[in-house]
Amino acid sequence: MKALVKSNSNSRIESNRIDCTTYRYLCIGGATTATPLQHHCNMPAPTPKMTAVTKLKIFSNLLTQAESLKEKGNKLFSSKDYIASHNNYSHALHITTQLNAHCDNDPLLLSSQRILFVSLIGNNALVLYKLGRYSEMQANCNSILSQASIYDGYDLTKIWYRRALAREALGQNEEAKIDLEHCMRSFGDKDEARLNKGRNDTLLALERVNNRLKRQFEKDNAGTCPSSASQRHIISTLLSQASVPRTGEAFYLLDFDWWRLWCNHVNFHAIDDDMKLKLNIIIPDKKENADTEEDDRSSSEEESDDDSYCDGYGRRPGAINNRRLLISSSNPQASDFFFQEWRPQQSATMLIPQLVRGHHFEILPRDAYAALKSWYGEICANTTICRRAMLMDKHGRPKVFLYPNAQRSIESRNNMGVVYDQSSGRVGLNNLGNTCFMNSALQCLSHATPLTRYFLTSHYKKDINVSNPLGTGGKLAAAYDTMVRSLWMGNSRQYNISPRALKRAIALFAPRFAGTSQHDSQEFLAFLLDGLHEDLNRVRNPPYIEKADVNHEHDLNVAGAEAWDAHCKRNQSIVHDTFYGQFKSTCICPNCKQISVSFDAFNHVSLEIPQLSSFGRIIPIIMFSANSHSVPPTRYGIVVSKNAHLSDVKLQLSRLSGVPIERLSICDIYQSKIYEIISDSKNVSDLNKDDTVMAYEIDPYTPSTMHVVATQFKQGVPDDKSSIGYPLLTSFSIDLSCRQVKEHMMNRLSYLPLSNDSLVKIRIVDNNGAQLEVFENSSSIIPNSDEKLASFLKEDCAESFLFAAIEWSDSSHMLNDNLEFIDHSSLVEAVKKHRAMLNRTLTLDQCLDNFTRPERLDEDNKWYCTKCKYHVRAEKTMKLWRLPNVLVIHFKRFEFRNAMRREKLDSLVEYPLEGLNMNKYCASSSFAGHAENGEVNANQETFVVNDIPATYDLFGCVNHYGRMGFGHYNAYARRWNEYHMEDDWRLFDDSSVRDGITETDVVSNSGYLLFYRRRVFA
Ligand SMILES: [Zn+2]
C-alpha cells in the first residue's frame, strides 16, 4: 500500500490530496468505522478481509499496468510519435477507468486512481493538441472538469489550461477566456519558478484570446451602431414607453459599470429634464471616471488604446457584460463551495446575492435592452438576465423580484447538501482554570456549520494567511482546526478534550486571555472571530481605502454597497462571509443639523436590555398658556430618553401644545416658588424625580418686554417663607400702565373661581420677597394708575425679572393643587406606558427596537461635527443595513455603572428559537422601506425587490450564571445543515455534555450570547 502511494509521490497532486478521512465523514455520513489507513498498513489481514486483499492485489496490478503504459506514452511523445503516444495513453486511461471498480470506496485507493487519471488526461490532451484533434481534446478535459466536486483538492490547473487551448483552437474564445482566468486564480501569488512559467504561458494565451475577441467584436459591430444622438433618442423613447411596468413584462439586468460607460459615451445626461423625470431609470453621475473602474475588471474587453472608439464623449463600451452579476466559476466572489447550497437555486442565471440597483446593476425593459444588445452585442449568451414583473404589491403595482425563488424558499427551505455524521460533536471541553467563558463560546461556534465544515474539509489550508501582520501567522487557525477535528471527527470514545493549544494561540493574538482569570465570553468570541478572520484573510495586499463621507444627498443603497465593496477589498474570509454584516449609523448635529451617515462592518450585535430608566423618563409638566385666558393649565406627559436635554423636553412640549419652542420657559418649582428657570442644556437626569416642573408661555426676552415672577400669599405681610400654591411667570410690554399690568395678571388667573374681592393686592418685591417701596407714599402695592409701571421702576428692572407677590383674602380659590387641571392625552399615554414598563415581559424584538431608536450621545461619547468643527452630543441612530448568514446577538447584561462597579441585569428576555424575522430591523430591506420613509430610493422601493428573506433560527446560546467576574458560563447548542435544524439540544458545560434539553430550557434569564443562522444564505 505504501508503495502505491510512493509511486506517485513525485506528482505535485499528491501534496494537495484531500483529507480522505474527512471526505468520508462528510460525504458518507453516519460512517462510524475508524479510519481505514491502519488496516492496510498491517497486512496480512484475517480471513474475512481476504476479499479486500485480493481486490487490492488486482488494483495494484492494474495500476502498475496503467503506469507503465503512461511511461511508454511519455517516451513516444518525446520522440514525437504522437499517434502511438495517444494510443498508449488511451489504453492507460481505459485501465484507469476500470480501477474504480476495485477501489471498494477506499479513499486512499480512490485517491491514487484519481491522481493517475488526472495526469493521464493532461498528457492525453497535450498529444491530442499536437494531433489537431481539438474537439476530442476538449471532451477529454471535460471528463474531469465537469466533475469538479470529485476532484476538489486536486491541482487541475493544467487541465484547465489545456481545455482553454482546445477551446481557443476551436474558436471558442469566450469560453477559453473563462478557463484561462480560472487558471490565473489557481496560481495565487505563490512565487515558484515552475508556477511562474505556467503563469506566463497563461498570460500570453489570455492576451491572444482577448485580442481575438476584440477583433471579432470590431468586425461584428462595424457600422451597425447609430450615432450617439440617435441612440439617446431611441433608448429614451423606449424607456418612456415602458416607464410604468406592466405585469408579465420582461426586464433585463444590465451591469451598472457598463450602463455608466454607455451613458457617458452617448452623453445620455443630455436628454431633457422633463424626459428624465418620466423615465424609471438611474442615470449615473456624469463626473465619475468610468475608465479607472473599468481597469479593475478582469473581464474588461477594452484596452487603454481604444481611442478610435471615442465619439466626443466617453469611451465606447464593449459588448454588454453581465458576468459580474452572476455566480459562476469565473466569479471568485461567490464561488464558495458550500454557500451555494444555501442559496436559492436559479439554474443558469444565478445572481450574486444582495445586488443593489444603481451600484451593481440597472434594469431595463425588453426593447431598450434589445436595442443596446443589437448595437453592442453581448459578451456571452448565457449572461442575459431576465426577470418578469409580477403583481405582488399590496397596492396592486407590479414588482420585479430579483430573487423570486428566495421569496418562496421561506417555506420550503429545501436545499441540496451533505449531512453531518450523526454521532459527532458530542464532546466536552476541559476547564483549564476559569475557562468556561471560552468553552461555552467555542461550543456554540463549533456548531456554526459553514465554518466547521470549512475546517473539516481542509479548505482552510488554501486560504491560510501566514504573512498577515494582523493575524497569528496561521497558528490560531491551525489550533482551531485541531480542536474542531477533535470535536467532530475524534475518537468516539473520547468524551472531552483540552483546548489548551487554542488558548495559547488566542493569547498570541490577544494577550489578555493568557492568564487563568475569568473573562467575558462575548469579548473572547469577538477576538476569536477577528483572529480567525485575519489568519484566513484571502486578501494578501490590502489596499488603503479612505472611508467615504456620506450625507443625505447620496443614494444610501448605493453608498452602503460601495462601503461594503470597499470593506471587502480588505477583508475576505470564511469568517467574513459567514459572520459579518453592516451597520448604518446616522448622526445629526444638534447645532447645525448636519446629517452624516456611515457604514461599518460588525460581527455581532450588542443589545442593551431596556430597563425602566432606559426606556426613557416620563416628566409630567403643567403648562400655563398665554392665550387661553379662561382655560385652566394643562398637564402633559413628556417621554424622553434618559440622557435627553431640556431642549428635547421643550421640543416635545412644543409639538404637543403648539406653542413655539422660543416662547416656552420651563421652571423647577420648589416650596411654591420658582426655584430655577431650567436651561436648555440641562440634562433630564439632573431633574429630581419629586420636583414639580411647570412650563409657562412667555414672550421671548427683549428690551421692550417685562417678565414677572409672581408668588402667592395669604393676606398679610408677605415674606420669603409664607408663599403658597403655584407661582406664575408672565410677560407683557414695557409700555403697559400700572392698571393694565394688574388687568394682565388678573387675566392670567381668570379661570379661577374668584369672587371680586378674593384678590387683595399685587405688590412688587425683590427676589428675596422683601417689599420694594417704589410707588407713591413708599408703597409696594401696584396702584390703579395710568402711568407706565416702568416709570416707577429703576432701569435695571426692565431687562431682567420683576418679582411680584399676589395676596389673597380667600386662599381656597387660589392657584394650587386643588385646581381642576386639563389632562392632555399625552399624560394618559405616559401613565399607561409607565404601567406597562413595570410589569412587562421583555422580548428580543423590544431590545432590537430599542437598539434602532435614536439616541443622544452622552458626554463621554461625543461625535465630531465636520461643519461645526467640534465635538457635539449628536443624535445617533443605528440601523442594521446588511445582515450576516450567522448572526451573533449579545445582551449587555453587565451594565457599566462606574469604574468600580458593574451590575448584572437578570431580566428575562424572550427570544425565538425559530423564525426570528430580521427584515424589519434591516434598513436597506425593501420590506423595511415603508417604515423609513424617504430613506429608500422611490424607484427601487416601488419597482425592484432585491431582498433575500432574513429569517433566522437559533442554534446556540451561551448562558451566564451568577455575578460578573465570578459567575459560570455554559452553552446550549444544536446541529444543523441546509436541510433542517436538529431538535436535539445539548447542554455543554465544560467537560460534560448532556442531552434531553427541552426548548423551554434554552430560553432563560441567563441567555447571554445568541447564535442564529439565516435560512436562506445571502
Ligand atoms: Zn454641526
Side-chain angles (χ1 to χ4, degrees):
M1 187 59 218
K2 272 180 180 165
L4 284 181
V5 178
K6 233 177 207 163
S7 71
N8 282 303
S9 62
N10 56 341
S11 160
R12 188 159 84 84
I13 295 159
E14 171 63 16
S15 60
N16 286 336
R17 188 169 56 83
I18 190 164
D19 185 324
C20 301
T21 329
T22 307
Y23 209 79
R24 157 174 292 216
Y25 272 86
L26 286 173
C27 290
I28 301 165
T32 45
T33 48
T35 161
L37 190 63
Q38 289 91 342
H39 295 282
H40 299 298
C41 295
N42 300 332
M43 282 198 293
T47 339
K49 303 259 166 159
M50 277 312 286
T51 45
V53 174
T54 323
K55 272 192 174 172
L56 192 66
K57 264 185 192 156
I58 299 171
F59 182 90
S60 173
N61 283 337
L62 286 172
L63 194 74
T64 320
Q65 265 185 56
E67 293 266 354
S68 70
L69 281 165
K70 181 185 145 193
E71 289 305 317
K72 229 190 243 171
N74 289 353
K75 272 186 198 137
L76 287 163
F77 184 86
S78 314
S79 54
K80 300 198 174 166
D81 188 353
Y82 298 132
I83 295 197
S85 168
H86 171 58
N87 288 339
N88 275 288
Y89 288 146
S90 299
H91 193 185
L93 275 168
H94 181 70
I95 294 173
T96 314
T97 327
Q98 287 181 344
L99 277 175
N100 255 338
H102 301 281
C103 285
D104 209 8
N105 275 336
D106 184 306
L108 216 51
L109 297 187
L110 267 176
S111 167
S112 37
Q113 186 265 346
R114 281 177 190 151
I115 290 162
L116 180 63
F117 190 65
V118 169
S119 110
L120 274 169
I121 288 284
N123 292 4
N124 197 35
L126 191 62
V127 79
L128 284 168
Y129 187 67
K130 295 284 181 193
L131 290 168
R133 289 153 69 174
Y134 304 123
S135 303
E136 268 177 77
M137 179 183 178
Q138 186 179 3
N140 186 68
C141 296
N142 280 345
S143 62
I144 283 181
L145 296 180
S146 63
Q147 310 185 61
S149 61
I150 293 183
Y151 294 95
D152 197 16
Y154 295 78
D155 181 9
L156 302 179
T157 320
K158 242 180 210 166
I159 312 289
W160 284 104
Y161 179 69
R162 286 185 180 154
R163 186 170 75 176
L165 291 186
R167 288 175 153 181
E168 187 193 355
L170 290 166
Q172 303 168 2
N173 289 306
E174 187 48 49
E175 288 79 3
K177 192 176 163 178
I178 297 175
D179 285 351
L180 290 170
E181 283 167 357
H182 195 104
C183 285
M184 283 313 291
R185 273 194 304 281
S186 62
F187 286 130
D189 13 86
K190 276 167 273 172
D191 194 41
E192 287 170 40
R194 190 180 45 77
L195 277 185
N196 286 340
K197 160 103 174 59
R199 194 182 289 129
N200 283 340
D201 287 351
T202 311
L203 276 174
L204 280 174
L206 252 179
E207 204 181 310
R208 264 197 330 263
V209 168
N210 272 333
N211 283 336
R212 213 168 284 145
L213 279 171
K214 203 171 105 187
R215 278 198 300 276
Q216 183 62 38
F217 179 75
E218 285 168 23
K219 217 175 93 191
D220 289 354
N221 290 280
T224 59
C225 213
S227 72
S228 289
S230 38
Q231 284 190 47
R232 228 165 33 223
H233 176 74
I234 294 168
I235 294 296
S236 56
T237 312
L238 289 174
L239 286 175
S240 66
Q241 284 164 1
S243 61
V244 180
R246 288 182 300 269
T247 310
E249 198 176 347
F251 286 84
Y252 289 82
L253 264 65
L254 184 59
D255 181 285
F256 201 75
D257 284 344
W258 193 95
W259 172 243
R260 177 183 290 133
L261 214 59
W262 180 81
C263 286
N264 280 333
H265 177 61
V266 305
N267 195 14
F268 198 60
H269 317 85
I271 59 169
D272 59 71
D273 289 347
D274 287 353
M275 183 60 116
K276 270 183 202 163
L277 286 176
K278 262 192 258 167
L279 305 182
N280 184 3
I281 203 88
I282 299 170
I283 302 175
D285 272 351
K286 205 178 170 183
K287 287 163 283 178
E288 239 166 303
N289 187 356
D291 291 59
T292 48
E293 284 205 12
E294 191 72 7
D295 288 345
D296 296 340
R297 304 232 336 244
S298 57
S299 50
S300 159
E301 294 305 307
E302 275 76 30
E303 306 291 296
S304 51
D305 60 351
D306 242 344
D307 292 335
S308 56
Y309 281 132
C310 276
D311 196 13
Y313 307 110
R315 194 156 47 88
R316 185 188 201 278
I320 295 172
N321 184 355
N322 289 324
R323 215 186 278 145
R324 191 178 63 145
L325 308 178
L326 298 166
I327 292 178
S328 67
S329 57
S330 64
N331 195 331
Q333 195 192 339
S335 62
D336 264 312
F337 66 109
F338 54 77
F339 274 118
Q340 294 189 20
E341 288 157 6
W342 267 278
R343 281 186 182 134
Q345 303 207 323
Q346 292 178 2
S347 65
T349 53
M350 185 158 153
L351 287 180
I352 282 183
Q354 307 200 1
L355 290 177
V356 171
R357 188 180 177 198
H359 178 67
H360 298 107
F361 73 93
E362 178 48 298
I363 189 159
L364 302 182
R366 178 208 299 271
D367 293 342
Y369 187 82
L372 290 173
K373 190 175 154 185
S374 73
W375 299 330
Y376 296 90
E378 208 173 47
I379 201 82
C380 189
N382 58 17
T383 58
T384 311
I385 308 162
C386 175
R387 292 285 182 271
R388 277 176 199 280
M390 292 190 276
L391 195 68
M392 292 295 285
D393 191 28
K394 60 180 174 195
H395 305 292
R397 282 183 299 240
K399 290 197 173 210
V400 173
F401 282 77
L402 283 198
Y403 307 99
N405 295 348
Q407 310 298 328
R408 257 172 259 136
S409 63
I410 300 177
E411 263 69 60
S412 69
R413 342 176 209 162
N414 194 5
N415 291 298
M416 290 293 291
V418 289
V419 185
Y420 271 103
D421 178 4
Q422 297 295 307
S423 67
S424 288
R426 203 183 180 286
V427 179
L429 292 168
N430 287 341
N431 193 318
L432 310 172
N434 269 328
T435 52
C436 55
F437 73 91
M438 175 171 101
N439 293 346
S440 55
L442 286 174
Q443 289 289 8
C444 285
L445 194 59
S446 121
H447 282 76
T449 309
L451 185 67
T452 296
R453 200 178 284 177
Y454 169 82
F455 277 99
L456 295 185
T457 52
S458 296
H459 273 79
Y460 91 98
K461 283 180 182 157
K462 71 168 190 267
D463 286 340
I464 206 145
N465 188 337
V466 290
S467 60
N468 185 353
L470 300 171
T472 64
K475 290 192 188 72
L476 182 60
Y480 189 77
D481 176 56
T482 310
M483 187 205 68
V484 169
R485 277 170 194 281
S486 319
L487 290 181
W488 293 93
M489 293 170 23
N491 186 334
S492 56
R493 273 163 303 180
Q494 199 165 13
Y495 298 121
N496 47 0
I497 58 161
S498 168
R500 197 174 295 278
L502 183 75
K503 185 167 182 291
R504 239 179 266 135
I506 189 109
L508 285 178
F509 180 73
R512 69 166 82 182
F513 296 112
T516 55
S517 50
Q518 175 75 281
H519 289 279
D520 187 330
S521 189
Q522 186 274 324
E523 274 171 37
F524 169 77
L525 180 73
F527 274 103
L528 178 62
L529 286 178
D530 203 19
L532 284 176
H533 164 64
E534 296 299 353
D535 267 6
L536 301 170
N537 198 343
R538 294 185 287 260
V539 178
R540 294 302 191 252
N541 296 303
Y544 171 74
I545 291 161
E546 203 168 335
K547 220 172 158 186
D549 207 12
V550 183
N551 59 41
H552 251 53
E553 285 157 27
H554 291 80
D555 181 327
L556 290 178
N557 282 306
V558 173
E562 281 171 355
W564 184 255
D565 277 3
H567 180 73
C568 291
K569 283 202 174 110
R570 300 180 53 86
N571 300 283
Q572 283 171 35
S573 73
I574 178 79
V575 181
H576 193 264
D577 295 343
T578 311
F579 295 91
Y580 279 69
Q582 196 181 17
F583 286 136
K584 180 197 112 186
S585 59
T586 310
C587 281
I588 305 176
C589 173
N591 305 323
C592 66
K593 308 292 173 208
Q594 158 149 284
I595 297 170
S596 170
V597 179
S598 68
F599 294 94
D600 300 285
F602 67 84
N603 61 20
H604 69 276
V605 179
S606 276
L607 297 179
E608 265 180 43
I609 299 177
Q611 294 299 291
L612 195 58
S613 56
S614 68
F615 254 128
R617 179 152 175 200
I618 297 167
I619 302 170
I621 290 186
I622 304 172
M623 164 91 181
F624 294 83
S625 159
N627 297 327
S628 44
H629 291 177
S630 51
V631 178
T634 308
R635 290 195 290 198
Y636 290 90
I638 307 292
V639 184
V640 286
S641 70
K642 59 178 176 180
N643 55 357
H645 282 188
L646 203 80
S647 52
D648 302 317
V649 176
K650 268 192 182 172
L651 188 68
Q652 271 209 46
L653 185 60
S654 167
R655 279 189 200 139
L656 292 172
S657 64
V659 175
I661 196 160
E662 59 276 9
R663 292 185 55 82
L664 284 173
S665 184
I666 297 187
C667 302
D668 187 355
I669 309 301
Y670 179 68
Q671 292 186 346
S672 296
K673 282 196 287 290
I674 292 182
Y675 176 73
E676 182 190 6
I677 295 179
I678 311 168
S679 90
D680 283 1
S681 60
K682 184 151 176 167
N683 202 308
V684 165
S685 59
D686 294 338
L687 289 179
N688 199 315
K689 276 214 164 63
D690 305 322
D691 287 356
T692 306
V693 179
M694 292 198 167
Y696 300 93
E697 183 185 354
I698 53 166
D699 299 323
Y701 305 116
T702 65
S704 58
T705 55
M706 194 178 281
H707 291 82
V708 177
V709 177
T711 326
Q712 306 181 82
F713 294 92
K714 268 188 197 167
Q715 188 172 17
V717 179
D719 67 61
D720 194 29
K721 291 178 184 64
S722 54
S723 53
I724 48 173
Y726 291 135
L728 188 69
L729 175 63
T730 183
S731 62
F732 43 82
S733 161
I734 201 162
D735 295 327
L736 291 195
S737 69
C738 290
R739 187 196 311 279
Q740 284 171 316
V741 169
K742 281 179 79 175
E743 278 167 10
H744 175 87
M745 309 262 293
M746 289 300 291
N747 267 336
R748 285 286 166 282
L749 303 168
S750 58
Y751 45 80
L752 295 172
L754 300 175
S755 52
N756 273 343
D757 54 353
S758 306
L759 180 65
V760 180
K761 34 185 100 84
I762 303 175
R763 293 176 193 269
I764 301 295
V765 293
D766 71 6
N767 59 354
N768 293 319
Q771 300 183 40
L772 286 177
E773 295 156 351
V774 291
F775 301 106
E776 283 167 34
N777 305 325
S778 302
S779 170
S780 63
I781 302 163
I782 302 179
N784 280 331
S785 136
D786 286 327
E787 273 182 86
K788 283 186 186 175
L789 176 67
S791 64
F792 292 101
L793 304 170
K794 293 196 181 71
E795 270 195 13
D796 56 0
C797 287
E799 280 183 50
S800 62
F801 290 97
L802 188 64
F803 294 89
I806 301 173
E807 278 184 65
W808 298 97
S809 62
D810 179 2
S811 62
S812 63
H813 292 308
M814 62 173 219
L815 189 53
N816 64 11
D817 283 333
N818 301 329
L819 190 72
E820 289 272 315
F821 293 108
I822 294 177
D823 284 342
H824 186 261
S825 62
S826 66
L827 186 73
V828 186
E829 281 301 306
V831 170
K832 254 194 226 160
K833 206 165 179 175
H834 185 82
R835 252 186 233 134
M837 281 180 204
L838 288 176
N839 48 21
R840 76 198 186 283
T841 321
L842 275 173
T843 63
L844 179 57
D845 274 327
Q846 282 171 326
C847 297
L848 285 162
D849 272 336
N850 190 54
F851 176 78
T852 52
R853 195 170 291 161
E855 169 202 42
R856 185 185 286 273
L857 298 176
D858 54 35
E859 278 297 321
D860 311 324
N861 237 330
K862 285 183 177 176
W863 171 76
Y864 184 78
C865 173
T866 50
K867 208 164 161 193
C868 299
K869 306 278 182 226
Y870 57 82
H871 286 87
V872 291
R873 291 187 51 195
E875 186 185 283
K876 186 176 183 184
T877 311
M878 295 287 282
K879 294 270 165 177
L880 293 158
W881 190 257
R882 195 186 168 98
L883 294 164
N885 291 327
V886 171
L887 174 68
V888 180
I889 290 178
H890 162 231
F891 289 124
K892 293 182 183 168
R893 289 201 176 273
F894 305 113
E895 205 181 29
F896 189 81
R897 293 263 189 237
N898 57 46
M900 298 299 293
R901 198 154 146 249
R902 273 176 138 188
E903 275 178 27
K904 191 185 168 191
L905 305 171
D906 269 326
S907 328
L908 170 66
V909 181
E910 286 179 352
Y911 35 87
L913 298 184
E914 310 253 330
L916 170 68
N917 176 8
M918 291 298 290
N919 271 105
K920 51 185 165 180
Y921 305 109
C922 191
S924 64
S925 141
S926 320
F927 298 135
H930 304 287
E932 268 203 296
N933 282 333
E935 286 251 340
V936 178
N937 180 306
N939 284 343
Q940 279 166 284
E941 222 236 292
T942 55
F943 177 39
V944 183
V945 180
N946 53 2
D947 287 308
I948 293 171
T951 313
Y952 287 81
D953 304 309
L954 188 77
F955 70 84
C957 169
V958 170
N959 303 297
H960 181 269
Y961 305 90
R963 282 194 299 141
M964 172 68 194
F966 302 95
H968 179 63
Y969 288 100
N970 65 23
Y972 294 114
R974 57 171 164 168
R975 291 164 303 159
W976 55 286
N977 56 33
E978 305 87 329
Y979 292 114
H980 64 302
M981 311 282 306
E982 298 280 344
D983 276 332
D984 60 337
W985 284 95
R986 289 162 179 172
L987 172 64
F988 295 88
D989 193 341
D990 287 331
S991 55
S992 104
V993 183
R994 207 155 53 97
D995 293 319
I997 303 299
T998 64
E999 296 199 339
T1000 46
D1001 294 331
V1002 179
V1003 181
S1004 77
N1005 68 344
S1006 302
Y1008 183 54
L1009 285 175
L1010 306 178
F1011 291 70
Y1012 280 97
R1013 67 103 194 222
R1014 195 170 184 160
R1015 279 186 197 168
V1016 178
F1017 271 27

